[in-house]
């Protein structure tokens, strides 16, 4: 008789968990250079952007997918098959077996602990190019291209790809993306990922564990310094999120040490759930400003 597959608390706590995160920042701030802070012996650089001049001489391994099909093949090769999918779907067991037959034994990936994918922006462009050639991107009535169908397919494809990589439990996966500053209809500034379509940017923070913005901040003496912004509640409005509860709002811009801190000792639960309401005097001062 089959038993309900309960994972005990001891088993769950003994599991190795990989960190899934997205690193965003404006162009030229040094996102790709964060590769220098990772161990080259256990890091695989997925270079979709061909912008590796910043890491010229970095002694780690690299793969360079040039098409959306290659991006999907790499995801299923790393993450394994999804048993919930039919054989005619991407990331299914049939897809996985075909990729293993193409690339060989996936044990070759066992020495990599971290995947550094640069960048989401280019990945979405490859996906959009593929989507424009699919039947959903053409009108049923006229047969002419229909961008609404292409963008709908783009959102589904990107989310499926990200979720599949997110389920790779024993590896760290970092996605890199370009952050744009925009102005809304009420002339208020806001930040958004530079991506084709809107669905991926809206849903991505709910998929990954960490959202970190690499940006330039102003010190008290007026000088500028680079930093990671890691908390959702930050005074600059940068996209950020910390599911580990171990990070400060502002951290030093070193991805290797940030990952070590995320994997460090767990903070007591009463500290992680602290309400942290400001004192009444502070509220009154803020309201009067």
């Amino acid at each position: 008789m089959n038993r309900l597959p309960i994972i005990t608390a001891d088993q769950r706590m003994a599991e190795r968990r990989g960190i899934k995160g997205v690193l965003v920042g404006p162009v030229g701030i040094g996102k790709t250079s964060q590769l220098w802070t990772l161990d080259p012996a256990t890091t695989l650089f997925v270079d979709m952007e061909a912008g590796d001049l910043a890491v010229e001489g970095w002694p780690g391994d690299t793969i360079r997918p040039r098409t959306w099909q290659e991006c999907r093949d790499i995801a299923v090769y790393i993450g394994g098959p999804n048993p919930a999918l039919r054989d005619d779907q991407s990331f299914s067991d049939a897809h996985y077996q075909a990729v293993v037959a193409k690339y060989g034994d996936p044990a070759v990936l066992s020495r990599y602990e971290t995947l550094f994918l640069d960048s989401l922006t280019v990945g979405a462009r490859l996906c959009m190019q593929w989507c424009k050639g699919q039947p959903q991107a053409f009108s049923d009535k006229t047969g002419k291209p229909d961008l609404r169908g292409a963008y709908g397919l783009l959102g589904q494809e990107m989310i499926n790809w990200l979720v599949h990589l997110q389920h790779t439990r024993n590896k760290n996966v970092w996605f890199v993306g370009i952050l744009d500053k925009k102005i809304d209809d009420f002339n208020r500034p806001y930040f958004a990922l530079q991506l084709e379509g809107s669905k991926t940017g809206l849903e991505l923070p709910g998929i990954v564990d960490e959202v970190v913005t690499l940006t330039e901040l102003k010190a008290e003496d007026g000088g500028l310094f680079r930093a990671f912004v890691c908390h959702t509640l930050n005074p600059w409005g940068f996209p950020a999120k910390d599911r580990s509860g171990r990070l400060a709002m502002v951290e030093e811009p070193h991805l290797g040490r940030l990952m070590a801190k995320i994997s460090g000792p767990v903070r007591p639960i009463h500290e992680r759930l602290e309400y942290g309401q400001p004192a009444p005097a502070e509220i009154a001062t803020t309201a009067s400003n």
Side-chain angles (χ1 to χ4, degrees), residues 78-91:
I78 293 169
N82 181 343
L85 299 177
R86 301 186 309 272
D87 281 350
D88 61 339
Q89 293 179 293
S90 296
F91 314 120

Side-chain angles (χ1 to χ4, degrees), residues 126-146:
L126 294 177
C127 184
M128 187 61 183
Q129 181 62 32
W130 178 85
C131 291
K132 286 180 177 177
Q134 302 308 306
Q136 297 93 323
F138 294 88
S139 169
D140 291 335
K141 294 181 179 178
T142 66
K144 293 181 178 179
D146 180 359

